[in-house]
Structures are given as structure tokens and as C-alpha cells.
Amino acid sequence: MTMTVAPTIAVYETVVTIEKGITKVAPTLTENESVAPTETTTVASTETTTVAPSLALNESAAPTPSGNVTAVAVTPTPAVVATMALTSITAVPLMESVNWDGCSVTRLCVHEPPGCDPSSNARCLFMSAEQQIGRNFSIDLSGHSIGYIAATFSTDDSLGGHDVTYICAADGSTVVFITATLHNDFLILTLSEMSNGKGRVDGNKIQCSFSVVLPESIMRVNNLAAALHTGSYNATSGALGTPNTAIMTNQVDFTNPNTTVTNMLTSNSTTATPTTTSSYAPTLHHSLLQTLLVTLAVLGLAML
């Protein structure tokens, strides 16, 4: 049977012809490209099958010829949205240990247990936030974990509603930074602004420092709630384990270093700073000396 195929105009059209066990793929056409009229084509047998092109949404198909050619309809499919690959960032070495210097003076600090020093206590879970300008803050984290330590910031008291989370994960002896959002106890990888990343791993103690722009609360004030977590990390696959939350704070003003922060999980104040008697000794000795001198002067006058 002799059949003449009329010219067609298609968008990204692909025609697959199966003839006597041989598969032939016609050239892919670009948008608005037309096919020149074909010569008279003889179809050898009814084994020849023409597959209609995949259609974009709202695209109409050209009529298919009748005869010994079988037309197979293809259901239109929506376009697939490409997603950006999320990668971790390797931190540069942190030369000095994270410590409590400046706590309650220049930076807001959170400890668990209260008052622990992250530079000497390997199991001290610690975070400090020091305002640079506006909502730009320098963050320090320290904690005992075989995988990662993380800090979450929430604009309300309901933690876990897609709240921005900054993660420091141990990859051997180095630290990698990962950003995510915390939602219903799950970490969902995302891209967030993070800079000046430094980190160190000492056994199971992970420490890191970085700069971020903290989220703005719905009331346009500086009050935020924070949470500190630990969890497992697979350095090969990049998989993050479920976060174990050890500190969950009330809403506090992060621009006020001296504000009192309470761990809502333990009802303990997490900002307690240990005091030492040495700072008070000079004043005490000075008072005793003054008293002694006054007493001697009185006795000297009495003897006259």
C-alpha cells in the first residue's frame, strides 16, 4: 500500500519507526522547525508502528494518517522542575577553642549544664551569639557528639515549623557546615546564608564558629527562641540523623548579652556564669586593712 505523509510542524517531536525488527529514530526537531514534504513512502507491512510525539501542556496533536499505520497516543506530562544540588561546605580550621569569654558582656551565651566552660568541659553543650550589626550575628557552637551539633532559631515559641537550622558535622577530623530547616523533628536540607565558617573536631567534641543573618521575628523585634541539638551524620551519604534536642529556650532578645535564658526542657537558667573568690579577695583585704588602721589610730589617741 502506498501512503503519502503530509508535512507536519512539531515541538520537540520524536518519531520512532520499528520495521522488521530495526528501530529507527527520526531527528529531534527544534521549536517552529518544519518538516519538508516527504516523498511517497511504501509501508512494507503492518508491523510498522509510528509513535506520536509527546505533547507539552495545551499543545494539540496533528492528525495521524489512516491505513496500515497504528498510532499510539502519549499522555501529556508536565515539565519537571529542576532542583539545585545541596552540598556541604568544609570549614577552615578553628585554631582556638570555643570558650565563654565575653559571656553576658558582649555576647549572649547558652550552656547545658548551666555555667559549663566549653573550652575545658568536653560534654558542655554551648552556644553564643554576638551581634555585629542589625540581624548579623557571630555564632559559636560546642558540644559532645559523634555526628553533628546544630542550632535552630525560631521566630515564635513553636519550635519545628520550618525553622532555620545551622549544622556543624564531623567529617573525620574536619567540620562541614550544612544548612537546613527543622520541621516536625525532621531536618530538611536547604540553602541559607552562612559565612566565615571555622571548625575543629577533638575526639567527640565538635566546635565551630560562623556568621549568619538571624531571622526576623513576626513582631519585627529581636526576640527569638533557640534550640541546640546533637545527632548522627553519615559523611559518605551526607545523611543527617534525627536531632536530639538538649536545649530549647524561651523567646529572648538576642541583642542583649545580659538577658536571662531558660532551658524550657529543664527549667534551668542556661546563662549562669561561675564566679570565683579571687575577684573579691582584693576588696576584702583592703577593707580589713582599713579597719586595722582605724583601730590602731583610735588606740594611739587613747594612750595620749
Side-chain angles (χ1 to χ4, degrees), residues 243-267:
N244 302 308
T245 305
I247 298 176
M248 186 170 65
T249 77
N250 55 318
Q251 279 197 315
V252 295
D253 183 357
F254 270 73
T255 66
N256 180 6
N258 200 33
T259 189
T260 299
V261 183
T262 301
N263 185 355
M264 306 300 288
L265 301 179
T266 63
S267 298

Side-chain angles (χ1 to χ4, degrees), residues 10 12-16 24-30 33 35:
Y12 304 112
E13 179 179 12
T14 301
V15 178
V16 180
K24 299 179 181 180
V25 180
T28 301
L29 306 180
T30 59
E33 182 180 358
V35 180

